[in-house]
Amino acid sequence: MLNKKSVDDLNVKGKRVLVRCDFNVPLKEGKITDETRIVAALPTIQKLVGDGAKVILCSHLGKVKNGPNEGESLAPVAERLTQKLGKEVVFVSDYNVTGQAATKAVEAMKEGDVVLLQNTRFRGKEETKNGEEFSKELADLADDYVCDAFGSSHRAHASVEGVTKFITAKGGTNAVGYLMQKEIEFLGNAVENPVRPFVAILGGAKVADKLNVISNLLEKCDTLIIGGGMAFTFLKAQGKEIGNSLVDDTKLDYCKEMMDKAEKLGKKLLLPVDSTIAAAFPNPIDGPIDVQVVSADAIPADMQGLDIGEKTAELYADAVKTARTVVWNGPMGVFENPVLAKGTIAVAKALAETEATTIIGGGDSAAAVNQLGFADKMSHISTGGGASLEFLEGKELPGVAAADDK
């Protein structure tokens, strides 16, 4: 996974380089509310501009369920990139993405110029198996290709994987950008070659989302910590009273298997010993709520667990203190609510204070450490939720596999 050509291996002067970025940024009334993904893409873009490439950027934005619409146009991204790079980023607003407007814009490029294509999902073929035509048209615009969109690298889409075959066919090179390189190194080393003790922390709502991750990490880590809503299925599998808490009854046997697996492998599997409970899920999610903390096996029938309790937070923080590598994916509770964020804050604080290499596996965990102000204390925060999960499962990611080997 780690031996891939990067932007440093390319000779790009005067060449057209297509860069797949992850500009899937949150927008509110046409304004970007979090520019983390744009900032993360800058080093690769700046390197290519500095080396005299003609840089053609592409990305998806949103899910685009009902066809192209201005609300999901990449125009605000072009504007922000222009500010960040200190040079004009030419935006091709054509909903066809690779049509005549794109061809003309690319033909007019000089060395060091930057063009941004319209949202790749406006094309409608991005995610489908019959995206060959779109893949070829993307490749026709460029000489070489750089994938720097880790957040999309688990998808075999036209602009992620499909395009690489056509670049290869014309004698071009497919490389990874600096962001992809960093993701592969941090996540890859954590899973395949961790400095021990290696502690993995999994949270979030559903066991079903993390079945293979739990199994794979149990083989790799020394201690596996389970929090969030998924912990209650484990607790129920132990025969504990979990009241109205979130549970997946179809996964009880799986949870028993995983607890047996941990025992056989001699791994520590830590589960909550107490829980912060309430009568109902907060509505609105950040609204006021009355809570109490009870033992994890004594949740009343009409109450539900919404965060780990103080003793659990201490137990988990202690496990982190002795670690040398920590991977964390998924919050400990409903972190969007200030009353129910205490468990997630305690874990984030423990990670911030440790000397270990700390890797945050994207998605809600990344949002949590960013919102709670611990981001600068982490060794690495992954930009890919689904991608980092699949990486932790041990799956090969199409966007990584498609890059040329060194």
Side-chain angles (χ1 to χ4, degrees), residues 236-276:
K236 187 171 180 180
Q238 288 182 326
K240 293 185 170 157
E241 288 299 327
I242 61 162
N244 257 339
S245 304
L246 188 69
V247 68
D248 185 347
D249 287 319
T250 65
K251 298 291 179 280
L252 293 171
D253 287 342
Y254 172 83
C255 290
K256 286 175 190 165
E257 272 172 47
M258 289 303 109
M259 290 187 277
D260 290 344
K261 181 174 181 171
E263 203 173 328
K264 281 186 191 129
L265 293 173
K267 306 295 174 80
K268 268 190 200 164
L269 177 63
L270 299 182
L271 292 166
V273 293
D274 60 350
S275 186
T276 300

Side-chain angles (χ1 to χ4, degrees), residues 334-357:
V334 187
F335 76 95
E336 300 90 343
N337 187 296
V339 179
L340 301 168
K342 288 178 183 167
T344 303
I345 291 170
V347 169
K349 197 165 178 291
L351 264 68
E353 289 169 0
T354 180
E355 296 294 305
T357 298

Side-chain angles (χ1 to χ4, degrees), residues 3 83 228 298 304:
N3 197 29
Q83 293 164 2
Q304 56 182 289

Side-chain angles (χ1 to χ4, degrees), residues 1 4 129 145 147 149-150 152-157 160-162 164 176 180 387 390-391 395-404:
M1 289 290 272
K4 294 292 180 182
K129 291 290 177 208
Y145 171 77
C147 186
F150 183 73
S152 299
S153 64
H154 59 314
R155 308 273 188 227
H157 289 171
V160 175
E161 184 199 47
T164 61
V176 296
M180 283 278 279
E390 290 196 17
F391 207 111
K395 279 188 183 174
E396 183 175 74
L397 307 183
V400 178
D404 298 343

Side-chain angles (χ1 to χ4, degrees), residues 91-121:
F91 179 55
V92 181
S93 59
D94 180 12
Y95 286 2
N96 187 49
V97 187
T98 50
Q100 224 177 343
T103 309
K104 274 189 178 166
V106 171
E107 278 172 359
M109 292 179 86
K110 297 183 175 66
E111 290 183 10
D113 282 355
V114 184
V115 162
L116 173 63
L117 303 179
Q118 183 55 282
N119 188 341
T120 53
R121 291 200 181 163

Side-chain angles (χ1 to χ4, degrees), residues 64 80 84 215 225-226 241 260 298 312 315 362 378 389 404:
V64 191
R80 190 64 62 91
K84 294 275 178 202
S215 187
I225 292 172
I226 305 276
E241 288 299 327
D260 290 344
T312 306
L315 175 74
M378 304 302 161
L389 265 185
D404 298 343

